[in-house]
Amino acid sequence: VGWVGIVLRSSGGGVQLELSDGGRAFDPLAHPDPPPPAALDEAPIGGLGVALVRRLTRGGRYRRVAGENHLTLELRPPPS
C-alpha cells in the first residue's frame, strides 16, 4: 500500500500544486512526449498523461528527497 500527498498553494495570482509519494523514482518532467500519430486511427490508447500535464501547467520542478518523489507544478490560470 502506498501513499500520495497533495498540497495546493496560492502563489502570485496562480496556483501551485505539489504531489509527493513514496514510489519508485520517476521524473515526469524528463519523460519525452510521444511522437504525434500520422493519423487518428493510428493513435495509441493511453500514454499521454505526462504530455497533458505539461500543456496544463506553466512549468514545474521534480525532486527526489529521502526516498520520496516531489513534483511541484505551476498551474495555468483559466482563460478569461
Side-chain angles (χ1 to χ4, degrees):
V1 175
W3 59 272
V4 174
I6 301 171
V7 176
L8 283 172
R9 293 181 191 94
S10 175
S11 76
V15 175
Q16 190 179 71
L17 169 66
E18 182 176 345
L19 302 167
S20 55
D21 67 53
R24 66 179 174 83
F26 176 68
D27 179 358
L29 302 176
H31 190 73
D33 284 346
L40 185 57
D41 61 341
E42 295 175 11
I45 295 174
L48 298 174
V50 172
L52 178 63
V53 168
R54 282 196 187 114
R55 284 172 182 74
L56 295 174
T57 61
R58 289 189 285 197
R61 176 175 67 136
Y62 170 80
R63 298 173 291 132
R64 180 81 176 169
V65 179
E68 298 175 1
N69 296 301
H70 293 267
L71 178 64
T72 303
L73 300 168
E74 297 288 334
L75 303 180
R76 292 184 190 275
S80 312

